[in-house]
Amino acid sequence: MRVLALTVIFLLSMHGRGEAQILDRLGKKVENKVKQRVDRKVDKAVDKGLDKVEEKIDKSTKGGVSSTTVKGKTSSDPNVMSSNYDFIPGDQLLFYDDFSNTAYGDFPSKWNTTVGGKVVKFSNLTGNWFMVGDNALSFPLLKGSLPQNFTVEFDLYYPDNAVRPPVTFGFSEVANPAKQSIQRKKLFYFVIPKSNNVENVVGYTTNMYSGHETFTEWDVRGHTGKVVHVSIAVNGERIRLYMDTEKLFDLPKAFDNNAYRNNFHLRAAEVIPKPKDGFYVSNVRIAAVSKDLSAALIGEGKLVVSGIHFDSGSDRIKAVSYNILNEIGLLMQHTPSAKFEIVGHTDSDGGAQLNQRLSLQRAEAVRQYLMKNFNIPASQLVAIGKGASEPVASNATAEGKAQNRRVEFIRK
């Protein structure tokens, strides 16, 4: 740092005031970058130390949850999970869009944008995907501001065959960025740097201009061309970011401005030269956190969960759903004599017999997970499939279908 300062002073003495101001800003930016790199190395060293401590704790733990299955300590497990994964999705759905009701090439009707965008389909990916292109800011049309406690989830895909702009997603005080710019407004967002960035990092910032980010390491290049499940949890002033099942940020006071709750948006920041491609999202889910799991399952005797995710058309539970199942399993362990029905429900897509079978298979998959990882006797858990026979919302919309795809836990 001393060498950097002396170099800047020498250069200032050799140039006029205009050049001096430019060099001063350059020096500060370089200094910030140096500090960020040092912080990341320190964080990495601390994380390694904590990992060793956690491994010792896991080895000494007897009974209860299997650390191999739940915490993903076995490298051969395709659903390897970080030991600090504690995300639980909100239960009261505020917005959902999988773009299934949008024709290819069209802009989705439940969104707005500053530039444009379109829905596309990939031959190697399931479902429809919304493209956020160069210098575009796109946002879902929410009904009012976001609550104190909520979650945001979406699937993210950024390709490996073209120059890609930075991927940014976050919140601002501007309710309608299509009418009013978010520049010089209160905002908070996360950023994945553009494709030719030399470092594998993800950051957050409250400033639209580069050089103010706080970064942490994440394998950006290793996830190129793959689907990443992004999860954000906001609890009052606390905000957490998860990429797949790895928690990257846990900031206790970063979401300290209620104005942030006016808008959630996705933005492909402008870069030069203009990129040939953008990034893509699907299965965007925003939900309020309004229910206490223990009060619902143990007190009321019924817990309805629409945030348990399965592979499309399959009973394979996605790893991002393990944590909420772990919470439910722990509650069941604390009521050892109670019996529960696990009831699977689907939307109306597909035939009645297919949906009936799929809902039962998914309920059974949840039952097996709880039996295996929490030693709950088979006699205390019954799997039931209801198919699409008991909808709680209209199957005419993507939002309604998302509510109908649910798992209910009923205490008997």
Side-chain angles (χ1 to χ4, degrees):
M1 296 299 292
R2 185 179 180 185
V3 173
L4 172 63
L6 290 173
T7 303
V8 172
I9 292 171
F10 172 76
L11 291 171
L12 291 176
S13 67
M14 299 297 292
H15 295 272
R17 180 172 295 179
E19 289 90 344
Q21 291 175 346
I22 294 172
L23 289 170
D24 181 55
R25 289 197 297 271
L26 178 61
K28 289 180 180 178
K29 186 169 183 178
V30 172
E31 184 177 349
N32 286 335
K33 290 294 184 183
V34 171
K35 183 178 181 299
Q36 290 167 4
R37 290 192 179 208
V38 171
D39 288 343
R40 285 199 299 274
K41 290 184 181 294
V42 172
D43 289 342
K44 189 174 183 180
V46 172
D47 286 339
K48 286 183 177 179
L50 290 174
D51 286 343
K52 291 181 179 179
V53 172
E54 286 178 344
E55 287 174 6
K56 291 181 180 179
I57 293 173
D58 290 336
K59 289 177 182 178
S60 65
T61 301
K62 295 181 180 180
V65 182
S66 166
S67 61
T68 301
T69 302
V70 176
K71 293 192 175 183
K73 296 295 183 181
T74 305
S75 60
S76 60
D77 184 352
N79 293 318
V80 173
M81 184 187 300
S82 170
S83 60
N84 64 0
Y85 182 66
D86 55 4
F87 178 79
I88 294 180
D91 56 282
Q92 183 180 340
L93 198 64
L94 302 176
F95 179 90
Y96 181 84
D97 202 353
D98 59 3
F99 311 106
S100 59
N101 291 334
T102 304
Y104 302 147
D106 285 355
F107 189 87
S109 60
K110 296 195 298 183
W111 292 70
N112 201 349
T113 185
T114 58
V115 176
K118 60 183 177 180
V119 170
V120 303
K121 188 172 183 65
F122 293 96
S123 60
N124 60 327
L125 299 179
T126 302
N128 292 357
W129 293 79
F130 175 47
M131 175 185 177
V132 182
D134 177 52
N135 198 28
L137 185 154
S138 298
F139 55 98
L141 299 175
L142 301 175
K143 298 175 182 178
S145 58
L146 293 162
Q148 286 295 302
N149 302 306
F150 67 92
T151 60
V152 178
E153 299 176 80
F154 60 91
D155 291 330
L156 170 67
Y157 174 81
Y158 49 91
D160 57 1
N161 59 354
V163 175
R164 171 184 57 76
V167 177
T168 68
F169 47 92
F171 310 87
S172 81
E173 66 174 321
V174 179
N176 188 346
K179 292 184 177 180
Q180 182 183 14
S181 173
I182 64 172
Q183 290 185 4
R184 293 179 291 278
K185 300 296 183 180
K186 295 181 178 66
L187 76 167
F188 178 98
Y189 66 91
F190 296 102
V191 57
I192 302 174
K194 58 186 178 182
S195 57
N196 59 354
N197 182 62
V198 296
E199 295 185 84
N200 277 325
V201 294
V202 173
Y204 73 90
T205 182
T206 57
N207 193 305
M208 282 195 68
Y209 303 102
S210 179
H212 300 269
E213 301 91 347
T214 298
F215 288 106
T216 191
E217 291 188 355
W218 186 68
D219 188 11
V220 176
R221 290 189 292 272
H223 288 85
T224 299
K226 300 176 182 178
V227 176
V228 179
H229 190 74
V230 180
S231 306
I232 304 169
V234 175
N235 302 100
E237 297 182 349
R238 181 184 183 187
I239 184 168
R240 287 166 286 174
L241 172 69
Y242 310 79
M243 306 296 279
D244 284 332
T245 56
E246 181 180 359
K247 180 163 63 177
L248 298 190
F249 289 105
D250 189 344
L251 310 170
K253 295 292 182 181
F255 212 80
D256 58 353
N257 198 312
N258 269 329
Y260 297 154
R261 290 177 164 80
N262 288 340
N263 166 271
F264 169 73
H265 62 265
L266 305 158
R267 182 168 65 95
E270 184 178 17
V271 293
I272 300 175
K274 183 176 179 178
K276 298 178 181 179
D277 209 338
F279 65 90
Y280 302 82
V281 297
S282 189
N283 299 310
V284 181
R285 183 182 190 271
I286 304 176
V289 179
S290 63
K291 189 178 296 182
D292 178 81
L293 296 183
S294 177
L297 184 64
I298 307 304
E300 300 171 13
K302 183 176 181 178
L303 174 64
V304 181
V305 183
S306 61
I308 297 176
H309 302 296
F310 300 86
D311 286 349
S312 179
S314 166
D315 62 354
R316 177 182 169 86
I317 302 171
K318 291 188 175 182
V320 294
S321 303
Y322 289 171
N323 198 59
I324 189 169
L325 290 175
N326 296 342
E327 294 292 321
I328 293 170
L330 288 171
L331 290 172
M332 289 181 174
Q333 278 188 333
H334 292 149
T335 55
S337 61
K339 296 183 178 181
F340 297 90
E341 289 181 351
I342 303 171
V343 186
H345 298 267
T346 68
D347 59 34
S348 61
D349 289 351
Q353 289 185 347
L354 175 64
N355 286 329
Q356 168 66 28
R357 183 168 63 252
L358 180 60
S359 65
L360 177 59
Q361 290 172 339
R362 288 179 170 178
E364 180 61 28
V366 170
R367 177 176 177 266
Q368 292 295 328
Y369 182 95
L370 295 172
M371 288 166 50
K372 176 181 178 182
N373 293 297
F374 295 89
N375 300 319
I376 299 173
S379 59
Q380 292 181 212
L381 301 176
V382 177
I384 299 172
K386 294 288 185 71
S389 63
E390 297 182 4
V392 295
S394 170
N395 279 300
T397 66
E399 228 166 67
K401 289 178 181 179
Q403 293 180 66
N404 291 332
R405 294 190 298 267
R406 66 197 191 276
V407 179
E408 296 178 347
F409 300 85
I410 303 173
R411 185 177 180 180
K412 305 305 289 183

